[in-house]
Amino acid sequence: MRDAETVLLQGPPGVGKSHVCVALGVKAVQLGFSVQYFRFDEPMTALRADAGMPPVRLKRRKYISTALLLVDELGFEPMTRQEASLFFRLVSYRYGRGAMLITTNKSIRDWTELLAGDEVLATAILDRLLHRSHVLNIKGRSYRLRDLEDALKLAHA
């Protein structure tokens, strides 16, 4: 966090990415850092509303000024061109200024498709996100589906 690095947690739904994200956020708060948690659509709504705001005023926004920004559930829906541009703005403003932790169900090779099919924009975003980053790939089966399977086995036993 002191080095404004990024953590990218990748993996299929249900493997614990959000749980790890929140746990690391709680630990950061315990260590005295400011933390903001958003599901991916929430900062996008704020960025849309703030699109015309000059960068000097944006610095006061929590999604810019917090020490650690947690962005959960990136990639469930492809972004529009406007959303991809706004996400680039967020990543650019935080680059080198604050740590980010992003959870996603998409591998890095799928980000062009996620970012409105714009290869140049995807490259620019990934260039900033992956510089001084930690990419963690969580593999496995969904905990929720395993719980359901266990419950069904008990019901049929």
Side-chain angles (χ1 to χ4, degrees):
M1 293 211 349
R2 288 181 181 90
D3 295 329
E5 295 179 342
T6 299
V7 173
L8 186 61
L9 288 174
Q10 300 178 153
V15 294
K17 298 180 303 292
S18 296
H19 185 83
V20 171
C21 173
V22 170
L24 290 172
V26 168
K27 185 63 175 177
V29 168
Q30 291 170 346
L31 293 172
F33 293 98
S34 62
V35 176
Q36 289 291 313
Y37 169 90
F38 295 101
R39 282 186 325 273
F40 176 73
D41 60 317
E42 295 167 330
M44 296 309 291
T45 299
L47 283 162
R48 255 186 242 100
D50 296 342
M53 190 178 289
V56 173
R57 289 195 51 217
L58 273 178
K59 289 180 183 177
R60 290 184 236 135
R61 295 292 196 226
K62 288 181 181 179
Y63 58 84
I64 300 293
S65 64
T66 191
L68 175 60
L69 178 66
L70 305 173
V71 179
D72 198 12
E73 298 181 353
L74 175 90
F76 280 97
E77 302 229 0
M79 292 180 220
T80 65
R81 178 76 170 102
Q82 180 195 25
E83 290 169 334
S85 293
L86 291 171
F87 186 59
F88 172 74
R89 188 177 192 196
L90 174 65
V91 169
S92 294
Y93 285 153
R94 290 201 54 87
Y95 177 69
R97 294 182 187 100
M100 290 180 69
L101 188 153
I102 299 171
T103 70
T104 181
N105 61 351
K106 299 289 185 192
S107 69
I108 292 168
R109 69 179 170 270
D110 296 328
W111 277 47
T112 297
E113 178 186 326
L114 173 66
L115 295 163
D118 189 324
E119 190 172 333
V120 173
L121 191 56
T123 300
I125 289 170
L126 288 169
D127 180 60
R128 287 160 180 81
L129 283 179
L130 297 177
H131 182 237
R132 296 187 321 213
S133 71
H134 307 273
V135 178
L136 306 173
N137 195 8
I138 301 174
K139 296 181 181 183
R141 292 182 50 228
S142 167
Y143 290 107
R144 290 180 287 271
L145 291 179
R146 278 190 278 172
D147 289 347
L148 176 63
E149 288 169 0
D150 291 344
L152 289 173
K153 286 177 188 173
L154 287 175
H156 293 302

